[in-house]
Amino acid sequence: MEIQDFSDDIDVKVKKYQRGESADLEGLKDKKLKGQLANREELYKKSANAAAKAEKWLMQTESGLLEPEGIEKTWRFSQQSIAQEVDVASRKNQFDIILPDLGPYTIDYTSSGRYMLTAGRKGHLAIMDMHTLKPVKDFQVRETVRDAVFLHNELFFAAAQKKYTYIYNRAGTELHCLKEHGAVLKLQFLKNHFLLSSINKSSHLRFQDITTGQMVGNYRTALGRSDVLQLNPYNSVITSGHSGGTVCMWKPTTSTPLIKILCHHGPVTAISFHPNGHLMATAGMDKKIKIWDLRTYKTLQTLPGNAKTLSFSQKGLLAASTGSFTQILQTSDSSNYNRYMIHTMAKGYQINRIQFRPYEDVLGIGHSMGFSSILVPGSGEPNFDSWVANPFETVKERREKEVRVLLDKLPPESVMLDPTKVGNMREAKRKEKKTKAEVEEEKAAAVAAAKSVAVKKKTKGRSKPSKVARKKQEGIENAKRGFVEENEGRDKKKQKRITEVNELPIALQPFVSKKGK
Amino acid sequence: MAETKRKKTLASTNSLKRRKGGDKEKNWKKGPHLPNALQKQLNSLNPTDRSDEEIHSDEDIDVYEYEENIPEEESKKNRRYDPVDNFEYELPKDFEDEDVASDDDEEEKGDSDEEKHARMLQDITGLPGDAFEGKKKKKDVVVFEAYPESEYNPSRDVLDGDGRITVDDLLNPLHGKPGFSKIRKDVQRMDKKSMSIQPPLPKPQQQKIDRRSAYVYSKKKLHEYEALVKKNREAPTIYFDEDIDVGYSTVGAIASEFRPRTEFEKKMDSLINGKELSDAHKGDGARLLELNKVSLEDVKERQDRLSKMRNLLFRHELKAKRIKHIKSKTYRRLLKKDKSKAAEIEMNPEAAKELAEKEEFKRAEERMTLKHKNTSKWAKRIKKRGVDVQDDGTRAAISEQLQQHALLTRKRNSMHDDESSSDDSTEDDDDDDDISGDEDDASKLKLLENGKNRTLEVLGEDDDDDMPKSGVLSLPFMVRGQKKKKEAAEEEARLAFQDYDSSLKQLDGDEDFKDNAGDSLSGRKVYGVAQKKQVPQSKKKVKANTDNYFDNTDSEEDDDDDDDTMDKHGRTTYTQKDVNIDPNILREESEIGHDPLFKSFDDIDKDEGPKIEYEVSLSATNSLKKKRNRKDCNQIKGKKSQVAEVASDIEEQHGDDDDDGMVDGIMTSGMDYELPSQDDLIRRAFAGDDVEEDFEMSKQEILNEENPEPEKPVLLPGWGQWTHIQKKRGLPSWMLAEHERAKKKRDQDLNRRPDAHLKHVIISQKLDKKAEKLQTKVLPYPFKDKEHFERSNRMPLGPEFNPATTIGSLNRPDVVKKPGVSIKPIKLRKHH
């Protein structure tokens, strides 16, 4: 029985590492290719088996969960009761730090979960080492700090302040002032592409390459003010939530959103992504929390309740909090989320940001009176991969990794909805609109062709120089005409759109001031 | 015919005799004889009488054929033996006849007789013996019939008989020739088994058959390889580095094998690995420091040497630079010409000769006329006035003349001069005596040479001279005596030759130099002292004119310096010219430069001088600039205001337009945040009002943009609207149909969109052009199916995604080989 269990387990893992089925080679006529592909498949299978075995034997730590007995409910366990059960090292992760003056605080963890960055709204910035629970650096900038994120490692972080965004190093030295971003509301960092993305008060979405300083993208969302910006860790697509209830997914190199979903009948307040990239949770002012399947763009589940902030853990727990109340949802089959735990802060604490700490069963909470950390059993990935993120990283390893990561930096255009599509066949393209440059080029070519038309020699004064010149000029005009018309058409469309925008619902017509018009 | 036959029989009998006579003449084989095996057999059949048998055999036995012997008495060989019948005398066993080659044959004897005769004739007539030999050779040819036998001239029996040539007819003439019996045997066998043989196939067919068989064979052979080739073909990786020992892999390994071989290497080795040094290294550093000490003199010497070298280099560099900077075209042209001429002379010996002649002529002329030695009227006048008073050009001209004279009249070194002697004065004195001395030397040399040549001739004759072939002198003992004499003479001649050689060498000892010098001189003439004495003079004169950089010019540089001074003249004149010209040009240029400026301003009167004008123009430009600046400012302001207006009126359509709003890289929109207008406020207040409708609208918009709606069919105004009927009829049907079709197509397109059935989702169909490069447009070669390709790509290959045990095999190249090692052809390994 146990053996079979084991083999089943292994099979599941092998399947995971094979990353999909192999193609059907039966119908292949090319014998050589068939042989080659069969060889490849064999190798893949071998590799997957080895990987599964390695996982089985080397990553033995299993994530725990709260297990209710009888009529016990998991959400009834308080942090105190959990603290009694866990070891001392874990108990260390339960703390409240009360900083009443400079709140509310937002928090951010490094990818290894070792360091925490906290930013108080009123100008407090601090980095904390979560192993030693000592502050690495703690300083005040004396102006509004709206958001702060770590860059590729704990040495650098970006803070969105009152006017500009700044990049500081670990010692608190200001390295850069990013003026172009404007008054940023929310920051996100794409760590594989080294892009810092921001959304500012005028709802401009910007992508800046922090290695070169180049502004990669600068897009107007045109959907109203938004302070919701979240990165999908699976494909590095940036998602913004807007006041109209829409959620837009952006890639750094296109000005139009890849996907636009109407999620809520009211402003979107929070978005979060499952680490596997298939699930998205959104919360709106319409008192709903929705869980979306990003493969079909359909809601899997709609939960009642407000949420100021949402966070998925590595193992797929979803935390949502509003006011001073936090609830953690759990699912058995990734479709039906149920209540797993609840946590209530002291009365009057307004939770600003919650985030699960990677590789630990810990949920960090930034609130108006400081920041706290609670234990959520089963939330973190128990086995870390030092190739990806190492919480016990030494200085040397960090340096090495920095170089390696920089060498592996991806170009901004490689952000795609489906990252597995990179290197595959391009889908058959529909006829694309020509760019301005292309149109110009065509025009120039047409004019040149008209100019180079040879004029026939005619008798009886028909080929007078003046006539010839006129004829040529006519030809050139004709060649130009087609392009001119196109341009006019485009302008018309624009105008039309503007007028449409200006049209208001009839109910509002009386409010329109004549001055504006 | 009969005669020849007889001769042959004679020969055969002779041979037989010889065989009987003794073993000595065994190697004399002329007639046909039996193979050994057959002979033995025959002997065993009837050992008693051979000759009888042989006689019989002529008729009936076809195994062996032999001619009947002629009795000994009849053959003239008898005379060979001594007429004395001394039967009792027997030769000793180890006896060898002396002159076997000369007198063992009758014909040979005859030959010798004839030789004697020829010699006699030669003695009498004084003509060479060969002149009389012509007749003898012709005797061999025997003409049997008037015409040679051929198909046009058939022999008589052929004409007489039944007119057929049988094989026997053809064979008969061969009777008695070697190999005849074999042929006959073959013929007889063929007669018995009369089987017709097919003629050979034509060549192409033969080749075809050959090829076919070769193909079959090689195919069979190649089949053996099939398994191996198949294995290699199917293998994901082929290894070519299996059993190859490349040898050393590190530099250290190679270096450790080093052994000093050459003299230099050995010396270095002894220095480096010397006991003293190694000991010093072993001990503390003090000893090493001692070893490092260098004496003061050494250092000084080295420094001196280095400084000298540096100095030389510097000078050389300066000179090269100077020459390089010469801009004179004529100089360059002349230089080029000289170069080409030199090259031509080198290539063409005739041209060299011609040139030499020309120079010689010039030289002679100069020495005769002394044309360039300031003898002209003009020169005399200048001299009278005093050279120092003259201007540079004249002085240069005079010095040039002098120089030319010096060049043309300087004394030439004779070929026999001793160049190695450094002091010139002695040589000068010797000059006249030299010639006679040289002559003496030459005569001695000639004598010796002659002697040598003669001895050589004698020696050569020895080899060539043949002994007389007839007469008394040709007798063996005479010959021997002569030989001995010759050898003695040769020995003597050799000794003499050696003497000559040694003496010649002695003479050459002091002459070697000359020869060498002569060799080196062969190219061009070398001039001696005269040059050295005169050139400095001229140079001094030159120096007075032009300041020379170098005080101590080396003697080697003299020749070059002459040219240099000339160059300098050329250059100085040119620079002067330049200086003269320069200001004009500059002025012109400046005027040209200013002209357009002047033209641009009409207000300024042109009467004033150019300088003032220029200033005025400057001021004018300034004012204009200012004006322009102001204008620009105004324009910018205007633009700004426009921009502001535009911003207030309508929101800008694209993110790109935002740049206009940015001034000096600072965000204006973020900075000066205006209070939202009433409209905005209301819009925000009612924001969630009809979100769905808004969304649908925006979706529709996007759809329209991406799949534009077909235009409504319209006619040009006025067209088709003349009459009521036309109006009633409406638009033409084809137009309507087309519109319908376009509409349908759009609907289909819309339905095909991935977000067609998702009301709340817009999936952008725009393609990211920048990301296009990340995907392939066409399937890579071996793939025919998109799915196969994409599936084969699905696995990551990096070390982050795969366990260490499989990375190697996942990323192994198709061919593994060591660099620099050649791949050997495939070898068949047999498994037994």
Side-chain angles (χ1 to χ4, degrees):
Chain A
M1 184 70 192
E2 207 170 53
I3 291 166
Q4 196 178 348
D5 231 27
F6 166 75
S7 66
D8 281 354
D9 196 23
I10 277 280
D11 275 350
V12 169
K13 277 171 184 162
V14 166
K15 215 173 181 186
K16 181 178 87 182
Y17 283 113
Q18 273 193 328
R19 294 172 172 89
E21 303 265 301
S22 72
D24 183 26
L25 298 179
E26 285 307 305
L28 204 55
K29 274 178 190 166
D30 187 348
K31 273 185 185 170
K32 191 178 174 189
L33 180 64
K34 198 172 174 181
Q36 282 173 348
L37 288 182
N39 270 330
R40 281 270 102 185
E41 283 306 326
E42 203 60 37
L43 277 177
Y44 290 162
K45 208 172 273 177
K46 228 194 250 169
S47 177
N49 271 321
K53 268 181 197 158
E55 192 192 323
K56 172 82 187 162
W57 298 114
L58 298 177
M59 297 159 76
Q60 284 194 317
T61 325
E62 280 179 36
S63 58
L65 273 179
L66 290 177
E67 286 171 0
E69 286 174 347
I71 55 161
E72 275 180 338
K73 299 288 177 193
T74 49
W75 60 87
R76 301 236 186 268
F77 293 118
S78 64
Q79 286 296 312
Q80 285 85 350
S81 58
I82 290 170
Q84 284 167 8
E85 304 297 326
V86 298
D87 56 306
V88 183
S90 300
R91 208 178 297 148
K92 209 171 64 177
N93 286 324
Q94 276 184 324
F95 60 82
D96 288 304
I97 292 177
I98 308 299
L99 301 159
D101 298 333
L102 302 168
Y105 282 86
T106 66
I107 57 170
D108 186 36
Y109 289 103
T110 55
S111 58
S112 65
R114 171 85 185 261
Y115 295 93
M116 181 170 77
L117 174 70
T118 59
R121 173 106 186 159
K122 287 170 188 156
H124 183 211
L125 286 169
I127 302 174
M128 240 174 92
D129 185 345
M130 301 308 283
H131 284 187
T132 59
L133 285 177
K134 279 178 186 164
V136 175
K137 182 67 192 176
D138 172 28
F139 65 105
Q140 295 186 20
V141 293
R142 293 167 189 275
E143 62 175 5
T144 312
V145 176
R146 298 198 190 86
D147 197 12
V149 287
F150 273 120
L151 301 186
H152 56 283
N153 58 22
E154 77 272 13
L155 291 184
F156 307 100
F157 64 92
Q161 295 179 23
K162 192 182 173 189
K163 271 187 182 175
Y164 309 125
T165 303
Y166 294 88
I167 291 178
Y168 297 96
N169 70 358
R170 187 172 51 174
T173 314
E174 177 192 322
L175 300 176
H176 298 286
C177 174
L178 312 176
K179 287 186 176 170
E180 279 180 85
H181 289 258
V184 169
L185 296 174
K186 199 87 165 84
L187 286 169
Q188 284 287 302
F189 182 68
L190 284 66
K191 66 180 195 305
N192 293 324
H193 304 78
F194 282 85
L195 293 175
L196 183 68
S197 69
S198 70
I199 192 154
N200 66 8
K201 273 181 175 172
S202 49
S203 74
H204 277 86
L205 183 67
R206 282 186 167 83
F207 294 90
Q208 187 164 26
D209 191 326
I210 62 150
T211 55
T212 61
Q214 189 197 3
M215 191 62 86
V216 173
N218 176 7
Y219 310 116
R220 210 177 68 95
T221 57
L223 290 163
R225 184 175 159 122
S226 157
D227 61 347
V228 183
L229 193 69
Q230 191 62 43
L231 171 79
N232 186 347
Y234 169 68
N235 52 16
S236 299
V237 167
I238 282 281
T239 310
S240 62
H242 297 273
S243 55
T246 53
V247 161
C248 297
M249 298 190 182
W250 304 85
K251 69 178 284 185
T253 49
T254 49
S255 58
T256 48
L258 298 171
I259 308 286
K260 214 169 172 187
I261 313 174
L262 181 68
C263 292
H264 296 278
H265 292 278
V268 178
T269 53
I271 303 172
S272 181
F273 287 93
H274 195 279
N276 68 11
H278 298 323
L279 292 182
M280 174 176 74
T282 58
M285 292 285 219
D286 57 352
K287 270 189 114 181
K288 271 173 192 161
I289 297 172
K290 285 183 178 174
I291 292 163
W292 298 82
D293 190 339
L294 290 182
R295 293 167 289 193
T296 58
Y297 306 107
K298 281 177 180 161
T299 35
L300 291 174
Q301 199 180 1
T302 308
L303 298 157
N306 277 321
K308 176 107 202 305
T309 155
L310 289 169
S311 172
F312 266 107
S313 84
Q314 282 179 322
K315 279 288 175 188
L317 300 185
L318 175 63
S321 71
T322 172
S324 58
F325 176 73
T326 306
Q327 71 168 334
I328 292 134
L329 308 166
Q330 181 212 22
T331 178
S332 49
D333 53 354
S334 82
S335 63
N336 212 359
Y337 272 87
N338 296 316
R339 185 190 284 176
Y340 173 56
M341 276 176 74
I342 52 170
H343 179 71
T344 317
M345 309 293 298
K347 208 174 180 186
Y349 285 16
Q350 292 294 313
I351 292 174
N352 190 35
R353 173 77 59 84
I354 52 172
Q355 199 176 353
F356 280 102
R357 185 175 156 198
Y359 305 107
E360 290 283 351
D361 289 346
V362 169
L363 176 68
I365 303 167
H367 48 78
S368 54
M369 295 294 277
F371 47 88
S372 314
S373 155
I374 59 168
L375 288 180
V376 181
S379 67
E381 169 67 48
N383 303 294
F384 65 84
D385 184 351
S386 62
W387 279 103
V388 179
N390 186 2
F392 304 100
E393 199 172 50
T394 62
V395 176
K396 201 166 186 185
E397 279 170 348
R398 190 189 66 217
R399 285 175 187 154
E400 293 282 326
K401 195 189 169 188
E402 188 169 16
V403 172
R404 203 175 59 238
V405 168
L406 276 169
L407 287 174
D408 290 344
K409 180 187 152 191
L410 297 173
E413 60 266 20
S414 67
V415 173
M416 284 186 189
L417 268 181
D418 187 357
T420 57
K421 285 271 164 61
V422 173
N424 282 0
M425 272 279 283
R426 192 187 306 158
E427 274 143 35
K429 189 160 82 170
R430 292 182 308 118
K431 208 182 174 190
E432 272 283 286
K433 226 184 243 172
K434 283 163 195 161
T435 61
K436 225 175 197 176
E438 277 173 344
V439 170
E440 282 295 312
E441 213 169 85
E442 266 178 38
K443 191 177 171 183
V447 168
K451 270 182 189 170
S452 67
V453 166
V455 182
K456 271 184 199 167
K457 185 92 179 168
K458 284 178 182 172
T459 48
K460 288 188 183 174
R462 278 193 190 175
S463 50
K464 267 188 218 161
S466 62
K467 275 199 171 172
V468 168
R470 202 193 301 151
K471 212 161 207 184
K472 226 167 207 184
Q473 194 55 40
E474 259 173 33
I476 290 165
E477 291 298 323
N478 268 336
K480 276 181 185 172
R481 197 165 291 152
F483 297 96
V484 171
E485 274 168 11
E486 271 176 29
N487 282 342
E488 276 174 2
R490 210 176 284 168
D491 287 347
K492 248 181 214 167
K493 210 183 275 169
K494 215 181 218 173
Q495 262 178 4
K496 201 176 168 190
R497 207 184 299 156
I498 289 160
T499 52
E500 271 173 13
V501 167
N502 280 349
E503 271 171 22
L504 285 167
I506 300 156
L508 297 174
Q509 291 285 348
F511 295 100
V512 174
S513 67
K514 265 144 205 173
K515 234 188 192 174
K517 287 229 164 177
Chain B
M1 182 107 191
E3 222 179 88
T4 40
K5 212 171 188 179
R6 206 176 59 91
K7 249 189 186 171
K8 261 164 209 158
T9 51
L10 264 178
S12 57
T13 44
N14 277 345
S15 71
L16 200 75
K17 259 257 168 76
R18 197 69 42 72
R19 227 188 292 149
K20 272 180 184 172
D23 297 341
K24 297 161 215 168
E25 295 93 2
K26 223 173 192 176
N27 49 1
W28 181 258
K29 288 174 187 171
K30 225 171 186 182
H33 60 93
L34 280 170
N36 281 338
L38 262 178
Q39 221 165 19
K40 270 180 191 170
Q41 226 169 9
L42 282 173
N43 283 340
S44 66
L45 276 173
N46 35 5
T48 49
D49 193 2
R50 190 192 279 167
S51 59
D52 285 350
E53 196 61 44
E54 277 164 1
I55 292 155
H56 281 295
S57 70
D58 206 1
E59 266 84 47
D60 42 27
I61 301 171
D62 53 2
V63 179
Y64 182 68
E65 195 181 68
Y66 211 77
E67 298 291 334
E68 198 182 356
N69 276 338
I70 294 164
E72 276 185 8
E73 302 86 59
E74 278 180 33
S75 70
K76 289 164 191 170
K77 298 277 162 62
N78 302 351
R79 231 192 290 168
R80 188 153 52 130
Y81 304 108
D82 288 335
V84 183
D85 292 341
N86 186 9
F87 292 111
E88 281 150 19
Y89 178 75
E90 273 185 14
L91 284 167
K93 268 184 185 175
D94 57 341
F95 176 79
E96 275 193 57
D97 206 341
E98 231 183 2
D99 293 316
V100 180
S102 62
D103 57 353
D104 62 342
D105 209 331
E106 188 197 38
E107 284 175 3
E108 203 75 352
K109 264 255 160 86
D111 264 10
S112 64
D113 279 348
E114 276 164 9
E115 223 173 65
K116 272 179 196 166
H117 178 68
R119 224 174 271 163
M120 189 196 69
L121 278 172
Q122 199 180 335
D123 287 346
I124 293 163
T125 55
L127 285 167
D130 293 0
F132 306 97
E133 281 171 12
K135 292 174 197 166
K136 200 185 78 187
K137 272 176 189 171
K138 272 170 195 167
K139 271 182 199 166
D140 280 348
V141 182
V142 180
V143 179
F144 310 110
E145 290 192 27
Y147 306 101
E149 198 175 85
S150 73
E151 51 194 333
Y152 305 111
N153 302 312
S155 58
R156 192 165 307 143
D157 50 4
V158 170
L159 291 172
D160 290 348
D162 49 356
R164 274 191 185 177
I165 300 168
T166 57
V167 178
D168 289 332
D169 291 335
L170 293 173
L171 268 179
N172 278 337
L174 294 176
H175 208 263
K177 290 257 172 70
F180 170 74
S181 61
K182 200 181 167 220
I183 294 168
R184 230 184 84 155
K185 232 192 294 172
D186 285 346
V187 167
Q188 276 171 352
R189 200 183 59 228
M190 275 190 283
D191 280 346
K192 270 178 200 165
K193 293 180 188 174
S194 60
M195 192 177 65
S196 59
I197 294 168
Q198 293 289 327
L201 282 170
K203 212 166 186 191
Q205 266 183 29
Q206 248 176 22
Q207 282 172 342
K208 202 172 167 185
I209 289 161
D210 281 354
R211 280 199 300 270
R212 195 178 294 152
S213 60
Y215 171 71
V216 169
Y217 175 76
S218 53
K219 197 178 166 190
K220 201 175 152 197
K221 202 81 181 154
L222 281 177
H223 268 306
E224 293 173 2
Y225 280 90
E226 218 164 46
L228 188 58
V229 170
K230 189 160 179 277
K231 207 184 99 197
N232 278 345
R233 217 176 256 167
E234 284 171 353
T237 305
I238 306 174
Y239 298 89
F240 285 114
D241 60 348
E242 270 168 341
D243 32 273
I244 292 165
D245 183 24
V246 184
Y248 302 119
S249 58
T250 61
V251 178
I254 296 164
S256 69
E257 287 290 304
F258 175 75
R259 296 267 170 279
R261 274 165 303 174
T262 63
E263 198 96 323
F264 176 71
E265 281 172 359
K266 274 172 189 162
K267 218 170 180 180
M268 285 296 287
D269 189 56
S270 71
L271 281 175
I272 291 166
N273 299 325
K275 196 165 179 279
E276 205 179 357
L277 208 66
S278 58
D279 282 351
H281 271 291
K282 268 175 201 164
D284 59 340
R287 182 92 188 92
L288 267 178
L289 281 176
E290 273 175 39
L291 283 174
N292 272 345
K293 259 180 194 165
V294 190
S295 73
L296 196 69
E297 287 85 42
D298 283 355
V299 171
K300 193 140 187 291
E301 198 192 345
R302 190 166 169 274
Q303 276 178 350
D304 285 349
R305 204 174 62 236
L306 281 178
S307 67
K308 194 181 169 192
M309 292 310 289
R310 237 178 272 133
N311 207 357
L312 281 172
L313 268 178
F314 173 67
R315 269 195 225 152
H316 183 76
E317 207 173 272
L318 267 187
K319 203 163 130 190
K321 222 182 245 174
R322 192 161 46 79
I323 288 168
K324 202 187 152 198
H325 277 298
I326 292 172
K327 279 178 187 160
S328 156
K329 268 184 187 167
T330 38
Y331 169 70
R332 291 284 164 210
R333 205 184 61 232
L334 289 175
L335 200 72
K336 206 187 256 176
K337 210 173 167 189
D338 279 358
K339 258 184 198 169
S340 66
K341 216 177 227 172
E344 197 193 358
I345 282 161
E346 264 178 32
M347 294 296 288
N348 193 357
E350 264 182 43
K353 204 177 165 189
E354 219 168 86
L355 189 89
E357 262 174 27
K358 222 187 230 170
E359 260 183 22
E360 192 66 23
F361 181 73
K362 257 191 187 171
R363 201 173 117 84
E365 203 182 17
E366 180 62 33
R367 292 186 99 156
M368 229 159 69
T369 57
L370 294 178
K371 196 178 168 187
H372 288 103
K373 215 187 172 187
N374 294 344
T375 47
S376 65
K377 214 174 174 183
W378 168 76
K380 272 177 187 163
R381 220 181 92 215
I382 282 170
K383 254 191 193 169
K384 219 161 102 190
R385 279 190 183 178
V387 180
D388 294 339
V389 189
Q390 303 299 325
D391 62 335
D392 283 354
T394 331
R395 266 187 285 178
I398 282 182
S399 67
E400 205 177 317
Q401 272 215 350
L402 276 175
Q403 211 179 305
Q404 210 166 357
H405 173 75
L407 271 174
L408 287 171
T409 55
R410 65 187 160 176
K411 195 180 134 328
R412 191 183 302 156
N413 273 342
S414 72
M415 299 282 274
H416 305 295
D417 263 355
D418 198 352
E419 277 245 320
S420 60
S421 64
S422 55
D423 58 338
D424 306 335
S425 56
T426 51
E427 209 182 58
D428 251 347
D429 298 342
D430 289 345
D431 232 354
D432 292 2
D433 309 342
D434 254 353
I435 302 158
S436 58
D438 281 348
E439 273 180 3
D440 281 356
D441 265 354
S443 61
K444 248 188 218 171
L445 216 132
K446 227 176 188 179
L447 274 173
L448 279 171
E449 284 282 343
N450 277 343
K452 198 176 160 186
N453 285 340
R454 267 160 226 160
T455 45
L456 263 175
E457 274 172 24
V458 168
L459 281 172
E461 271 174 13
D462 287 347
D463 298 337
D464 296 343
D465 206 13
D466 264 349
M467 303 228 304
K469 278 171 186 171
S470 56
V472 188
L473 286 173
S474 69
L475 288 172
F477 62 94
M478 285 294 277
V479 170
R480 258 173 273 150
Q482 266 181 347
K483 254 188 187 172
K484 264 179 190 172
K485 255 186 199 170
K486 245 165 215 174
E487 270 169 13
E490 264 179 22
E491 197 62 36
E492 222 174 340
R494 248 171 225 146
L495 279 172
F497 186 66
Q498 275 175 5
D499 279 356
Y500 283 135
D501 259 2
S502 60
S503 53
L504 264 174
K505 264 177 194 167
Q506 272 179 0
L507 259 175
D508 278 354
D510 41 289
E511 219 164 308
D512 266 355
F513 273 118
K514 287 175 218 159
D515 282 359
N516 289 340
D519 285 342
S520 67
L521 287 174
S522 63
R524 62 162 122 135
K525 284 151 201 149
V526 172
Y527 298 95
V529 206
Q531 158 215 7
K532 274 181 185 172
K533 276 185 180 174
Q534 288 190 3
V535 171
Q537 278 177 6
S538 62
K539 213 196 292 168
K540 266 176 197 168
K541 279 173 191 167
V542 169
K543 266 179 196 168
N545 299 335
T546 61
D547 44 351
N548 207 344
Y549 301 116
F550 319 118
D551 308 7
N552 52 343
T553 45
D554 290 340
S555 56
E556 296 163 2
E557 287 178 352
D558 284 352
D559 282 23
D560 300 343
D561 272 9
D562 297 342
D563 298 348
D564 291 350
T565 47
M566 278 170 74
D567 302 339
K568 262 179 208 163
H569 290 308
R571 200 164 51 117
T572 44
T573 50
Y574 274 103
T575 47
Q576 273 175 358
K577 266 184 193 168
D578 278 351
V579 167
N580 287 334
I581 288 162
D582 261 346
N584 290 330
I585 290 171
L586 280 172
R587 212 169 294 149
E588 277 167 22
E589 275 177 357
S590 66
E591 274 167 18
I592 288 161
H594 294 317
D595 271 345
L597 268 175
F598 299 152
K599 276 168 195 167
S600 64
F601 301 105
D602 301 330
D603 326 6
I604 300 154
D605 49 348
K606 286 171 187 174
D607 297 349
E608 290 173 275
K611 266 194 177 177
I612 300 157
E613 269 186 357
Y614 183 66
E615 277 170 13
V616 168
S617 72
L618 265 179
S619 65
T621 49
N622 280 343
S623 64
L624 187 87
K625 267 182 188 169
K626 273 175 193 169
K627 270 182 194 170
R628 271 183 190 160
N629 280 342
R630 250 176 243 157
K631 235 183 197 175
D632 282 357
C633 283
N634 284 338
Q635 277 183 349
I636 288 163
K637 271 182 189 171
K639 264 184 194 169
K640 265 187 186 170
S641 60
Q642 277 178 2
V643 167
E645 279 166 22
V646 167
S648 61
D649 279 343
I650 347 148
E651 280 195 344
E652 289 142 8
Q653 278 302 306
H654 292 287
D656 305 12
D657 298 351
D658 284 349
D659 296 336
D660 292 355
M662 301 270 295
V663 179
D664 296 339
I666 302 164
M667 268 297 297
T668 47
S669 56
M671 285 263 296
D672 30 310
Y673 176 69
E674 289 169 36
L675 272 174
S677 63
Q678 184 79 358
D679 282 358
D680 280 349
L681 282 174
I682 291 163
R683 204 187 291 271
R684 273 183 215 173
F686 290 89
D689 219 15
D690 46 358
V691 201
E692 274 187 42
E693 203 177 301
D694 277 354
F695 190 81
E696 256 169 49
M697 258 175 67
S698 67
K699 181 167 181 177
Q700 203 56 48
E701 210 172 274
I702 286 167
L703 291 186
N704 284 341
E705 199 183 324
E706 289 180 0
N707 305 63
E709 230 173 323
E711 281 177 29
K712 271 180 189 167
V714 276
L715 288 171
L716 283 172
W719 278 94
Q721 292 173 345
W722 287 101
T723 60
H724 187 63
I725 303 160
Q726 274 181 326
K727 262 189 190 173
K728 219 179 189 178
R729 213 186 280 152
L731 294 163
S733 61
W734 63 268
M735 235 179 220
L736 290 173
E738 198 166 288
H739 182 64
E740 272 306 299
R741 192 148 37 81
K743 240 182 178 176
K744 220 176 241 175
K745 197 182 169 255
R746 178 174 181 258
D747 286 348
Q748 275 178 358
D749 283 350
L750 289 181
N751 274 331
R752 221 177 283 147
R753 281 176 68 101
D755 55 2
H757 305 295
L758 298 165
K759 225 172 134 190
H760 55 278
V761 180
I762 304 166
I763 297 172
S764 171
Q765 294 299 99
K766 272 188 182 169
L767 283 175
D768 185 9
K769 284 217 166 145
K770 279 179 188 163
E772 273 183 355
K773 65 188 171 195
L774 299 171
Q775 295 183 321
T776 60
K777 217 171 180 179
V778 287
L779 271 177
Y781 158 60
F783 291 101
K784 291 269 168 55
D785 193 353
K786 189 181 159 193
E787 196 204 345
H788 288 139
F789 170 60
E790 290 184 352
R791 289 299 171 109
S792 75
N793 269 351
R794 73 179 194 277
M795 279 285 269
L797 302 175
E800 293 95 335
F801 305 94
N802 290 295
T805 49
T806 52
I807 286 172
S809 50
L810 275 172
N811 295 301
R812 192 161 291 138
D814 292 348
V815 174
V816 175
K817 78 179 276 288
K818 281 195 178 109
V821 176
S822 59
I823 297 170
K824 279 172 191 149
I826 201 166
K827 217 185 262 173
L828 188 64
R829 275 193 208 118
K830 278 176 186 166
H831 305 284
H832 288 300

